[in-house]
RNA sequence: GCAGGGUUAGUGAAGCGGUCAAACACGGCAGACUGUAAAUCUGCUGGCAUAUGCCUUCGUAGGUUCGAAUCCUACACCCUGCA
């Protein structure tokens, strides 16, 4: 079987993944697959710091803008879609580059998570209104054991939906280089600050207002920091400065959760900057280019 | 100048004689997380020891009391009303 190399770039928000991925793509005839739970959505452009049109023109991007914010999207959906896109890319003899900050999505793809028991909207809606105690009781009644996060309503609901299914994962996909783009905390926080500043300059508030009037605050795609931070401002309960500040905080908190997720993965090859990354990639790709 | 209100841990804010190292919220730190994941949730958050232990805190200084963040006095700063 022909080896099929794949490069994945992970890291915290604002760590510079997009720019690195584009460089890789240009160097190796690559196409980018966005492993990102928010940039899949149309109409979320400013708030997600989505690759801009110029960047998208430079290199093909996949799984961007494929859904309306009113539609739900899951890690399993991503896994399926990305798998298909990757085989298309190979059929063009190009290099797939998976880039994203959604750790679960990346892992689902690279470790071939075994998904099962898709959520039933009716059951989920019913369960969502239950208290934690009630959910725990249901689980125990069914003879299932409580999830690791036994006080997390969402995980409790999922446990009920899975109905005893034990999820599995495999080893890291062969022929894969998993690169982690590290960044120190101060630099990251500065970048987030100026990123938020630019978002507001570029019309973040208008984008939020438009999407909210079109899809409503509760739309699945709109569950993200900008909407949380700016809702009180848009509803006239809070000043702009306060919301701006909250958005920065939310992004920093998100970055921290990403860090927690990625740092336990021993397969990640951490690099501190672009040139370190490109060096690693060169070594990795040399295994394939000679054939 | 007179009268009244205020000053609590990183921030906001409870507490108004003992059960107060001091509720709660936010922030911070660490962590979990396979069909909601930029979501959601957990633990810790004065110092030191880390098991029920000790030490230093509630504007500052003094006092009352067996015992004070809580009462009294003085001082400092802030806000409101009358001047």
């Amino acid at each position: 079987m022909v080896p099929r190399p794949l490069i994945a770039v992970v890291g915290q928000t604002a760590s510079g993944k997009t720019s690195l991925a584009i460089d890789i793509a240009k160097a190796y005839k690559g196409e980018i697959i966005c492993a990102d739970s928010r940039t899949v959505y149309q109409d979320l452009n400013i708030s997600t710091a989505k690759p801009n049109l110029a960047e998208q023109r430079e290199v093909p991007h996949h799984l961007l803008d494929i859904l309306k914010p009113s539609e739900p999207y899951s890690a399993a959906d991503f896994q399926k879609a990305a798998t298909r896109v990757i085989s298309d890319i190979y059929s063009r003899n190009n290099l797939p580059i998976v880039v994203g900050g959604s750790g679960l999505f990346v892992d689902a793809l690279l470790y071939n998570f075994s998904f099962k028991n898709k959520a039933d909207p009716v059951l989920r809606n019913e369960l969502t209104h239950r208290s934690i105690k009630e959910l725990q009781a249901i689980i125990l009644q069914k003879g299932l054991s409580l999830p690791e996060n036994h006080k997390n309503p969402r995980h409790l609901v999922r446990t009920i939906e899975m109905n005893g299914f034990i999820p599995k994962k495999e080893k890291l996909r062969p022929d894969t280089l998993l690169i982690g783009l590290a960044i120190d905390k101060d630099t990251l926080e500065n970048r987030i600050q100026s990123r938020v500043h630019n978002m507001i300059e570029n019309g973040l508030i208008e984008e939020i207002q438009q999407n909210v009037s079109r899809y409503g605050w509760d739309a699945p795609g709109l569950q993200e920091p900008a909407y949380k931070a700016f809702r009180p401002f848009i509803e006239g309960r809070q000043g702009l400065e306060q919301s701006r500040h909250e958005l920065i905080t939310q992004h920093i908190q998100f970055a921290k959760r990403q860090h927690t997720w990625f740092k336990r993965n021993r397969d990640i090859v951490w690099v501190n900057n672009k040139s370190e990354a490109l060096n690693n990639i060169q070594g990795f790709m040399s295994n394939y280019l000679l054939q």
Side-chain angles (χ1 to χ4, degrees):
Chain A
M1 196 179 144
V2 196
R4 311 202 127 170
L6 180 147
I7 291 172
V9 178
V10 299
Q12 298 169 92
T13 186
S15 59
K17 298 186 295 291
T18 299
S19 158
L20 171 60
I22 288 172
D23 284 8
I24 302 169
K26 288 202 285 201
Y28 297 97
K29 252 186 97 195
E31 301 187 28
I32 291 172
I33 299 142
C34 299
D36 190 304
S37 74
R38 296 301 112 174
T39 59
V40 271
Y41 288 112
Q42 298 158 18
D43 302 322
L44 265 67
N45 296 315
I46 299 167
S47 73
T48 57
K50 195 179 277 177
N52 62 41
L53 291 178
E55 291 168 323
Q56 292 187 42
R57 225 171 285 131
E58 259 185 301
V59 171
H61 282 70
H62 301 277
L63 305 186
L64 220 50
D65 294 321
I66 60 172
L67 288 178
K68 292 207 162 70
S70 50
E71 303 173 274
Y73 191 61
S74 72
D77 294 331
F78 167 77
Q79 187 194 48
K80 232 174 285 173
T83 304
R84 203 181 51 236
V85 168
I86 288 169
S87 68
D88 288 351
I89 293 173
Y90 286 132
S91 72
R92 278 174 233 125
N93 273 313
N94 286 349
L95 171 71
I97 303 163
V98 175
V99 183
S102 298
L104 175 64
F105 285 25
V106 174
D107 289 359
L109 178 68
L110 299 184
Y111 295 89
N112 197 22
F113 280 13
S114 59
F115 289 110
K116 222 183 167 183
N117 297 29
K118 182 176 174 169
D120 167 37
V122 177
L123 176 65
R124 172 166 294 188
N125 184 50
E126 205 269 312
L127 293 174
T128 302
H129 299 291
R130 303 288 188 128
S131 72
I132 289 174
K133 284 227 158 95
E134 288 176 308
L135 292 169
Q136 290 175 335
I138 292 170
I139 291 168
L140 296 174
Q141 247 167 46
K142 285 169 157 275
L144 307 174
S145 46
L146 293 174
E148 172 88 24
N149 289 328
H150 64 281
K151 290 185 190 167
N152 185 334
R154 295 197 174 178
H155 291 206
L156 292 168
V157 167
R158 239 316 50 212
T159 300
I160 295 167
E161 290 174 348
M162 294 215 281
N163 196 232
F165 170 69
I166 312 278
K168 286 190 294 279
K169 68 182 265 194
E170 296 174 6
K171 286 198 182 129
L172 180 66
R173 193 202 100 111
D175 301 304
T176 298
L177 176 63
L178 179 51
I179 292 266
L181 193 48
I183 180 167
D184 75 274
K185 214 177 147 183
D186 286 348
T187 311
L188 183 76
E189 293 189 0
N190 285 333
R191 281 208 209 167
I192 286 174
Q193 265 189 40
S194 56
R195 177 183 264 192
V196 165
H197 179 83
N198 289 336
M199 284 180 180
I200 293 169
E201 295 282 292
N202 294 333
L204 174 66
I205 292 161
E206 292 71 23
E207 180 177 286
I208 294 173
Q209 281 171 326
Q210 234 172 59
N211 283 333
V212 164
S213 67
R214 213 174 293 173
Y215 306 109
W217 288 107
D218 296 332
L222 305 187
Q223 304 315 304
E224 54 113 324
Y227 291 77
K228 224 185 286 178
F230 274 89
R231 183 168 188 172
F233 169 72
I234 286 172
E235 293 182 340
R237 290 180 278 119
Q238 184 174 93
L240 174 65
E241 261 322 294
Q242 182 65 23
S243 282
R244 177 215 293 278
H245 188 254
E246 279 180 23
L247 182 52
I248 292 167
T249 302
Q250 297 245 1
H251 274 130
I252 292 172
Q253 292 174 339
F254 169 50
K256 192 179 304 164
R257 271 176 271 134
Q258 291 178 304
H259 184 241
T260 302
W261 181 282
F262 290 127
K263 80 195 229 192
R264 67 178 179 179
N265 185 339
R266 309 307 306 279
D267 293 327
I268 296 175
V269 178
W270 289 100
V271 299
N272 292 305
N273 53 52
K274 230 183 230 184
S275 60
E276 260 181 58
L278 292 170
N279 276 343
N280 267 286
I281 289 163
Q282 196 172 39
F284 171 76
M285 287 304 291
S286 66
N287 302 323
Y288 302 96
L289 295 176
L290 296 176
Q291 319 206 359

